[in-house]
Amino acid sequence: MKIRYNRALASTLAIALATGVASSAAAQEAPIQDATVTDDEIVVTAVSRGQNKLETSISVSSISEEAIANAAPRSVAELFRNLPGMRSESSGGEGNANISVRGLPVASGGSKFLQLQEDGLPVLEFGDIAFGNADIFLRSDFNVRRVESVRGGSASTFASNAPGGVINLISKTGEQEGGSVQGSLGLDYGEYRLDADYGGALTDTVRFHVGGFYRQGEGPRRAGYDGNKGYQIKANITKELANGFIRLNFKRLDDRAIGYLPSPVRVTGTNSDPKYQGLPNLSPNQDTLHSVNFTRVLGLDGNNNAAISDIRDGQRPLVNSVGFEAQVEIADGLTLTEKFKYSDVSGKFVSPFPSGIDTAQSVANGIGGAGSTLSYANGPKAGQAYAGTNLLIPVVLFNTEIESLNNIVNDIRLSKTMDAGGGNVTATAGLYKSSQSLATTWNWNSYLLEPIGNNAALINVRNAAGVLQTENGLVGYGATFFGNCCRRAYDVDYNINAPFASLSYDTDRLSIDGSIRYDSLEARGFVTADGPVVTKDVNGNGTISVPETKVTVLQLTSPQPINYNTNYWSYSGGVNYRITSDLAVFARYSRGGRANADRILLNSNNISVTSGQLLNDDVAVDFVNQAELGAKYSSDGLQIFGTLFRATTEEENFEATTQKVFSRAYKATGLELEGSYRSGPFSLTASGTYTDASISRDNISPANEGKRPRRQAQLVYQVTPQYDGDRFTVGANIVGTSASYAQDSNELKLPAFTQVNAFFNVRPMEKVQLSLNANNFFNTQGFTESEEGSIPTNGIIRARSINGRTVSASVRIDF
């Protein structure tokens, strides 16, 4: 295992080890129960202690293990779409999704205001690291017992950098003896997968759980090679004490998952009533710009030396993590809870991005001058004159090396519950300590690619004199089509210390709580920007080709320091009143902060190029203020939860694909509904969120003020009807969204769409299940983003759609 040390690791580890020793030494006799093994109605995410849903003054939802299995999501982003309030754009493959909640913006990708967790600790401290989104390093498999989400509320004070909410994947821990093994096969796409898990008791007081998956295949789109290949193994072992428990956790993720970026799409009609359709031989939801003819490439590394990269690495997460958690009642009503995790995180993100699309001759002339000619650089027609469509795609290869996203986190809290005034008072004090490394290098090249799916060829250009202007489709060693920008190297450590406290009062009907958090962040390191365009014999053959005169190098001798501190307060307060045993109402107000990371670096308006200190303190932290008013009803198989919300949000951001800086404020008002009903073998779950969002301030483009944020639909919803017979289960998971705007100018619309996922399970004998799952049964084209904000002259935009229909079959054996 590679370990990358930074300043904060030693102190954080020391706290964790000291706490673990103290927890064991202070063990007493009064038993307590691990909250994660109780009824699914018990909330354990972003709260001071486990509570029933009807007793909490927060909006919380969960997805059961059974529901996950039936939906058979192709990524965690697809899974998250089943949570109320979530806007999860599941069009990027296994990761790289844009995820937000309740109208909070997604200006540049990732999950900026929403924290993704495993067993109560973050996957990454920042969910929107450029080319390192948190969901890239997260997988759902048989280890997951349930997924729990908290929107708004106490997420601001019980987690750092989570003012919008928390999504928490909660693991099985061996309470039930037994396991499962399942083999899955893609019937109309390339996917072979094996899932397995097993758990149970080792002794009267020790139990364990272990599970994981291995998969290999082309993936849901025609790439021409195995785009998805890898595995995950997770394990934990729990020691029950007379007054608590101690648990060790392990995880190994080694995966390759193809990453889908926008693709050329033709649009007819008008901006307000557009009609989207694929180009000939390039389906928006079944094809990709990946190709067997475009796999291994030569470029530069972080030291400006020649290096070979493999595009088949795609989204390449390499994660080794180890952690422990303990919960011990050290005195009557006094409970110590400790969670610690160290994760060694590295990998790669490499995928082709279309910088535009134009007529083939226009692209050729732009590279080689008037009268240039085109030919196939590779593929079955290599050397022949280009005779494909009359279009050509200039491609920038987003080739990012993830040297380290290592993180170490520790959350320790002490809670005291006591009788007072006919109820219970619970006081909690804790300290959260986190260290997040961010070391990545952008090594981008530019190419020409023919606009077809299913193994496109690279294209060469010769000028009118017949002189080759490209090299095997390569135009330049850098983002030539972006003005030779974007060679970058980040090496920054973020250290967070966050003490927090809460106080709650509970009676049989009334619950009142308040909490505060103080985050202190230290950023230290450096960033290296792109330098001049030079001539360099990159391939070392002694001859300078035209692309070798277009080499963008890093300014290795003049890195920009990063050296600043920032701190901020978050707070939350709520009241819940249980009118009857079945009905409760609640109200809450919260203010939470989100520290910015790499998105504000390499911007001379933000950080001094000489001292590395902030020039404007406001860019370091973005705040979300949120008010909530809700009602909850649960009785006799019927549950209905509703929440009115209003949120105001600040955002400082940077978008790599457009090189745009954002400095904005937003407001959103909406209604979130969730319900479920069961009558005999029939069940129905549904949720929907209506959001009225607008840009209230835009320092960069004031004309956007008053307009709806891009890609923000007014309505998102999901409905899952299901029938459970003695020998079979049949149902569908229906997910939809109303129309949204492609960009903040509010011109081009992204059409509304509904995706239907159907499932059918047969149990021919005890502990054996055969399943058939159709994801996107009707092969819907659902567009989640577009680089263009209006229909261009040539009628072709660059957009990203959800995946087309994929049908899988599986056999599961429980034992």
Side-chain angles (χ1 to χ4, degrees):
M1 178 188 297
K2 177 189 69 178
I3 296 180
R4 181 178 180 276
Y5 181 85
N6 67 45
R7 302 171 190 76
L9 292 185
S11 61
T12 306
L13 183 58
I15 289 177
L17 292 176
T19 304
V21 172
S23 299
S24 299
Q28 301 294 322
E29 294 183 0
I32 64 172
Q33 188 176 21
D34 174 4
T36 64
V37 304
T38 59
D39 189 279
D40 278 357
E41 294 299 309
I42 299 298
V43 180
V44 299
T45 300
V47 292
S48 61
R49 60 186 177 86
Q51 286 181 289
N52 184 281
K53 287 183 179 180
L54 289 183
E55 297 173 347
T56 63
S57 54
I58 58 176
S59 296
V60 61
S61 303
S62 59
I63 306 174
S64 68
E65 178 187 3
E66 178 188 8
I68 296 171
N70 286 336
R74 308 302 189 222
S75 66
V76 291
E78 286 197 359
L79 176 60
F80 297 161
R81 290 184 308 182
N82 290 281
L83 294 166
M86 295 296 167
R87 176 162 57 105
S88 184
E89 300 175 359
S90 57
S91 55
E94 190 78 22
N96 195 36
N98 302 320
I99 309 169
S100 190
V101 58
R102 289 182 172 176
L104 273 61
V106 180
S108 58
S111 55
K112 176 171 181 174
F113 297 102
L114 186 71
Q115 189 179 92
L116 306 185
Q117 295 184 346
E118 287 182 293
D119 298 315
L121 292 177
V123 176
L124 294 177
E125 190 62 58
F126 309 106
D128 68 336
I129 294 171
F131 307 104
N133 294 353
D135 68 317
I136 293 175
F137 305 93
L138 184 63
R139 298 288 184 270
S140 175
D141 58 17
F142 280 9
N143 289 290
V144 177
R145 178 178 178 180
R146 75 179 187 274
V147 178
E148 196 168 83
S149 75
V150 170
R151 283 88 63 197
S154 54
S156 298
T157 51
F158 283 96
S160 290
N161 300 309
V166 170
I167 299 178
N168 186 17
L169 273 65
I170 299 172
S171 299
K172 301 174 186 176
T173 54
E175 295 85 0
Q176 296 182 341
E177 183 86 26
S180 304
V181 60
Q182 176 176 290
S184 302
L185 170 68
L187 299 182
D188 60 350
Y189 72 108
E191 177 82 345
Y192 306 90
R193 177 167 172 143
L194 180 68
D195 286 86
D197 78 313
Y198 187 80
L202 294 174
T203 70
D204 290 344
T205 60
V206 179
R207 65 180 189 270
F208 77 99
H209 185 268
V210 60
F213 72 87
Y214 177 83
R215 57 85 181 271
Q216 181 173 344
E218 186 177 28
R221 303 193 184 202
R222 295 184 286 257
Y225 56 83
D226 284 349
N228 295 339
K229 183 179 181 181
Y231 67 91
Q232 175 173 267
I233 298 174
K234 295 179 69 176
N236 57 66
I237 185 168
T238 303
K239 167 67 175 177
E240 295 179 354
L241 308 174
N243 55 349
F245 72 92
I246 297 175
R247 178 176 301 133
L248 298 178
N249 303 291
F250 308 91
K251 172 181 172 178
R252 165 73 175 176
L253 174 62
D254 184 348
D255 200 14
R256 291 176 176 85
I258 195 166
Y260 304 119
L261 294 177
S263 180
V265 177
R266 188 175 298 280
V267 184
T268 58
T270 64
N271 286 323
S272 59
D273 186 22
K275 303 295 186 295
Y276 289 66
Q277 60 185 25
L279 299 180
N281 302 312
L282 186 58
S283 168
N285 64 354
Q286 293 182 317
D287 285 322
T288 172
L289 298 185
H290 296 82
S291 167
V292 73
N293 298 314
F294 190 24
T295 54
R296 291 174 62 82
V297 296
L298 177 67
L300 299 182
D301 62 14
N303 294 313
N304 292 328
N305 296 322
I308 295 206
S309 295
D310 195 331
I311 298 175
R312 292 171 295 185
D313 282 339
Q315 301 173 80
R316 177 80 167 102
L318 287 167
V319 182
N320 295 288
S321 69
V322 60
F324 69 84
E325 55 183 301
Q327 186 172 309
V328 179
E329 191 171 24
I330 56 179
D332 186 21
L334 184 63
T335 302
L336 179 69
T337 303
E338 157 67 11
K339 291 187 177 184
F340 164 83
K341 181 177 70 171
Y342 171 76
S343 296
D344 182 276
V345 183
S346 61
K348 198 173 184 69
F349 183 100
V350 54
S351 186
F353 177 85
S355 67
I357 184 167
D358 207 342
T359 63
Q361 194 60 53
S362 178
V363 173
N365 291 349
I367 294 173
S372 294
T373 59
L374 296 160
S375 62
Y376 291 97
N378 57 13
K381 298 180 182 179
Q384 299 179 28
Y386 178 58
T389 70
N390 66 337
L391 299 171
L392 207 56
I393 307 175
V395 166
V396 173
L397 183 66
F398 289 169
N399 184 7
T400 301
E401 193 72 33
I402 302 173
E403 287 95 1
S404 174
L405 294 180
N406 295 357
N407 62 84
I408 183 169
V409 292
N410 195 84
D411 187 305
I412 179 172
R413 60 187 68 178
L414 190 65
S415 295
K416 173 66 175 177
T417 300
M418 60 201 113
D419 296 333
N424 294 320
V425 172
T426 300
T428 300
L431 175 65
Y432 175 84
K433 188 171 181 63
S434 166
S435 178
Q436 175 69 64
S437 297
L438 201 168
T440 62
T441 305
W442 300 9
N443 304 311
W444 298 3
N445 287 356
S446 297
Y447 300 86
L448 293 180
L449 191 69
E450 66 174 327
I452 66 170
N454 199 15
N455 296 326
L458 293 167
I459 305 299
N460 274 332
V461 175
R462 294 180 184 271
N463 64 14
V467 178
L468 197 61
Q469 303 297 295
T470 57
E471 187 173 4
N472 296 321
L474 173 70
V475 177
Y477 290 96
T480 310
F481 302 123
F482 288 171
N484 300 304
C485 75
C486 307
R487 288 297 311 285
R488 294 187 173 185
Y490 298 86
D491 192 355
V492 186
D493 295 326
Y494 296 89
N495 182 32
I496 295 174
N497 291 287
F500 58 93
S502 71
L503 186 66
S504 65
Y505 173 73
D506 300 287
T507 67
D508 290 340
R509 293 184 177 274
L510 180 66
S511 175
I512 303 173
D513 70 274
S515 52
I516 58 173
R517 187 182 191 93
Y518 182 75
D519 278 86
S520 177
L521 178 142
E522 175 189 86
R524 299 289 186 272
F526 62 85
V527 181
T528 305
D530 45 20
V533 177
V534 303
T535 296
K536 182 181 177 69
D537 184 10
V538 177
N539 60 18
N541 66 356
T543 301
I544 299 296
S545 65
V546 173
E548 290 176 326
T549 66
K550 305 173 184 177
V551 182
T552 305
V553 295
L554 286 167
Q555 299 185 67
L556 297 177
T557 59
S558 55
Q560 175 184 328
I562 303 299
N563 179 28
Y564 68 86
N565 297 338
T566 190
N567 50 71
Y568 58 94
W569 287 94
S570 300
Y571 58 83
S572 181
V575 57
N576 187 86
Y577 184 70
R578 199 156 181 171
I579 300 172
T580 68
S581 61
D582 304 328
L583 177 64
V585 293
F586 74 94
R588 177 169 291 275
Y589 186 83
S590 305
R591 179 181 189 265
R594 200 287 189 182
N596 289 311
D598 59 317
R599 302 280 184 170
I600 63 169
L601 306 182
L602 275 184
N603 181 352
S604 59
N605 295 322
N606 293 337
I607 297 178
S608 167
V609 296
T610 55
S611 68
Q613 296 182 349
L614 293 171
L615 298 176
N616 177 6
D617 288 339
D618 291 340
V619 305
V621 182
D622 292 332
F623 289 99
V624 175
N625 296 282
Q626 191 165 174
E628 303 170 70
L629 181 64
K632 311 173 188 178
Y633 176 81
S634 178
S635 177
D636 297 329
L638 175 65
Q639 289 188 333
I640 302 176
F641 303 142
T643 304
L644 288 167
F645 60 87
R646 180 172 176 80
T648 58
T649 310
E650 303 172 336
E651 182 172 42
E652 300 287 332
N653 220 317
F654 173 80
E655 184 176 54
T657 56
T658 62
Q659 304 294 291
K660 287 182 179 179
V661 174
F662 297 88
S663 180
R664 291 178 175 164
Y666 304 81
K667 59 183 180 181
T669 303
L671 172 64
E672 184 180 274
L673 293 173
E674 177 185 13
S676 66
Y677 176 72
R678 174 173 287 278
S679 177
F682 176 78
S683 65
L684 177 69
T685 62
S687 64
T689 305
Y690 175 83
T691 306
D692 181 15
S694 63
I695 301 170
S696 55
R697 172 180 55 80
D698 193 327
N699 294 348
I700 308 299
S701 303
N704 290 329
E705 292 177 2
K707 296 181 178 178
R708 197 194 311 174
R710 60 176 170 172
R711 309 204 302 268
Q712 175 62 60
Q714 289 186 314
L715 178 65
V716 294
Y717 57 89
Q718 74 86 20
V719 180
T720 304
Q722 180 174 320
Y723 183 89
D724 292 294
D726 292 337
R727 291 291 184 181
F728 72 93
T729 297
V730 62
N733 173 231
I734 304 162
V735 182
T737 175
S738 62
S740 61
Y741 289 107
Q743 296 292 337
D744 300 309
S745 58
N746 285 190
E747 296 177 85
L748 177 62
K749 279 191 173 181
L750 298 173
F753 68 89
T754 299
Q755 176 179 338
V756 177
N757 307 312
F759 54 89
F760 179 62
N761 306 324
V762 178
R763 295 171 288 277
M765 62 185 70
E766 187 179 2
K767 297 186 177 182
V768 175
Q769 178 169 284
L770 310 178
S771 299
L772 189 67
N773 176 277
N775 191 279
N776 194 2
F777 183 83
F778 295 107
N779 199 32
T780 297
Q781 293 182 2
F783 293 93
T784 64
E785 64 179 79
S786 166
E787 298 299 312
E788 286 74 21
S790 61
I791 302 175
T793 303
N794 66 4
I796 302 175
I797 65 171
R798 296 161 294 161
R800 196 164 74 170
S801 169
I802 60 174
N803 291 330
R805 177 174 49 244
T806 53
V807 182
S808 63
S810 63
V811 179
R812 173 171 173 156
I813 301 174
D814 298 322
F815 51 89

